[in-house]
Amino acid sequence: MRGALSHEAERRSAPTGAGPVGRVLGGPWLLAGQDGRLTAYVHTEDALLRWTEEAVGGPRWSGPDTFPAKDLTHLTVVQGPNRYAHLIGRRVRPKADARSAVDIVCATQFQTGRPVTEWRSLGNPFKDIDRSEQVGAPAAAVADGGALYVCVPTAWGGAALRREDKHGQWEAWKELDVAGVTDRPSLAATAAGLVEVLVPTRVAALHLHQGSQGGAMVRGYDAGVIPLPGSATALETAPGRMTHYLTDVRGAGVVAFRAGNWPMPLGGTPGDGRTAALRATVDGFDCTLLALRGTDGVVRLGACPAEEERGGMWWTDTGTDCAGDPSLALDGHGRAVVAAIGTDGCLVLARQTDGPGLTLSDWRRI
């Protein structure tokens, strides 16, 4: 793999008629469907916006389609092996006594371009109003067989998990064996269907995992690094092995953590957002790609051979500023795609080309 990441053009967008999306609360999220077409989601005030590739590999997109997301303060979108898109949100509805009813809701898109189901409530881990109002933003993962796992930070530094069983029935909320939680956990599932959770706290990142499919979440090796809230993500970098990427609040930049290993500083000058992670082929090598919004507001990409972070992560800015967190996905032809919300409020996208190294196309507005 060549060390340099190159670009065919910098700080250019080729507009296709789309306009600003409005005030963005979350996203974009970029997912590939069963038919290989990509879908991009953006959470705005009271709505979920969705764009869909018209053909595998683009370049034309339809949308945005608008779906109601009233009272949702936070949203995340996750996908499992069946390629269903699961949307999980935190809903806050005002009550007559000036308090708020807070619950976690979910909806599903089963096929590319098809409608999203109605929102379904997953309830709240607490019945007490004081504690229920403090439940935070949800994180989620999809295990083997399509079982959905949802985790939320709770009142007074805890975290709670709710999941579907092997029959698709929801189990009750269960509190995890953690304390001092500062933000939403990061969830991920291996190809074998085992779920891992990385929980940010004031003193470390706490690691929990399953020993068997559908098993209990047990404490594992904790990472001796304090995560910036909201920065963590996970990627299966080898069969059955997760690497967790997060931002160190003490200024070491992005850090990679694998259970049983010391955290590895990777640099990258990240801002205050989440790091996106993807495995992709570059120059014939299996590589890990990272995308983040830098301290200067520019989308930055990092690349290294899979699980060879100690040999160095090559970072470069991509030539475009963004608002919020970028997203990564593989398109139907196996090419890496990065999406972001530009500073003009429009959704933009760049795609891996056939050039040497990780060469990106022009940024295009969709």
Side-chain angles (χ1 to χ4, degrees):
M1 185 187 76
R2 291 175 170 83
L5 183 155
S6 58
H7 306 275
E8 293 182 351
E10 293 193 351
R11 297 187 183 276
R12 292 175 56 190
S13 290
T16 59
V21 299
R23 180 169 175 247
V24 175
L25 301 182
W29 297 274
L30 196 62
L31 304 179
Q34 295 167 325
D35 62 359
R37 289 186 294 158
L38 292 175
T39 304
Y41 305 87
V42 174
H43 179 208
T44 65
E45 289 184 296
D46 294 333
L48 173 73
L49 304 183
R50 185 188 73 184
W51 292 259
T52 306
E53 277 188 323
E54 294 185 358
V56 175
R60 296 184 61 85
W61 293 68
S62 62
D65 300 317
T66 302
F67 300 93
K70 184 175 176 56
D71 299 324
L72 294 190
T73 62
H74 298 81
L75 184 69
T76 189
V77 184
V78 297
Q79 189 177 49
N82 57 18
R83 297 292 184 174
Y84 297 165
H86 298 276
L87 293 71
I88 301 92
R90 176 182 183 267
R91 183 169 61 184
V92 179
R93 291 174 291 182
K95 299 176 64 177
D97 59 0
R99 304 299 294 268
S100 297
V102 177
D103 65 342
I104 304 302
V105 295
C106 67
T108 305
Q109 178 185 315
F110 294 104
Q111 292 180 308
T112 304
R114 301 296 297 169
V116 175
T117 66
E118 293 185 358
W119 294 102
R120 174 186 178 186
S121 178
L122 300 182
N124 189 299
F126 306 110
K127 297 186 182 300
D128 175 76
I129 187 68
D130 289 327
R131 299 189 73 184
S132 67
E133 286 183 323
Q134 296 183 56
V135 166
V142 183
D144 186 60
L148 183 60
Y149 284 58
V150 177
C151 190
V152 294
T154 63
W156 306 310
L161 178 77
R162 193 174 188 193
R163 65 185 186 180
E164 292 178 300
D165 63 21
K166 62 182 180 181
H167 304 294
Q169 300 299 310
W170 283 97
E171 299 178 355
W173 287 99
K174 295 180 180 179
E175 292 209 54
L176 298 179
D177 179 24
V178 296
V181 180
T182 56
D183 196 67
R184 80 171 82 184
S186 171
L187 269 68
T190 67
L194 302 180
V195 175
E196 293 191 16
V197 183
L198 195 72
V199 183
T201 74
R202 293 185 293 271
V203 295
L206 309 183
H207 180 248
L208 298 92
H209 64 95
Q210 290 177 316
S212 60
Q213 291 184 8
M217 304 301 304
V218 297
R219 285 285 294 273
Y221 295 95
D222 297 336
V225 59
I226 303 174
L228 182 72
S231 65
T233 193
L235 179 70
E236 188 171 15
T237 49
R241 187 162 57 238
M242 285 288 180
T243 302
H244 300 267
Y245 299 95
L246 53 94
T247 299
D248 184 350
V249 298
R250 293 170 291 194
V254 177
V255 172
F257 167 69
R258 282 188 284 276
N261 293 276
W262 292 104
M264 293 173 283
L266 304 179
T269 62
D272 58 0
R274 177 177 176 268
T275 298
L278 178 73
R279 283 177 70 177
T281 300
V282 180
D283 287 343
F285 292 90
D286 177 16
C287 292
T288 296
L289 308 184
L290 303 180
L292 54 82
R293 180 178 181 267
T295 54
D296 56 1
V298 175
V299 178
R300 294 180 61 79
L301 287 186
C304 72
E307 296 205 339
E308 295 186 20
E309 295 93 349
R310 292 191 185 279
M313 176 75 70
W314 290 282
W315 291 97
T316 186
D317 76 69
T318 63
T320 195
D321 298 322
C322 73
D325 305 332
S327 181
L328 288 169
L330 290 179
D331 71 7
H333 298 305
R335 298 174 298 187
V337 182
V338 56
I341 300 295
T343 53
D344 60 357
C346 296
L347 180 62
V348 294
L349 177 149
R351 198 180 302 257
Q352 182 181 6
T353 70
D354 295 329
L358 182 58
T359 305
L360 295 183
S361 67
D362 292 355
W363 285 91
R364 295 181 58 87
R365 187 180 299 166
I366 64 172

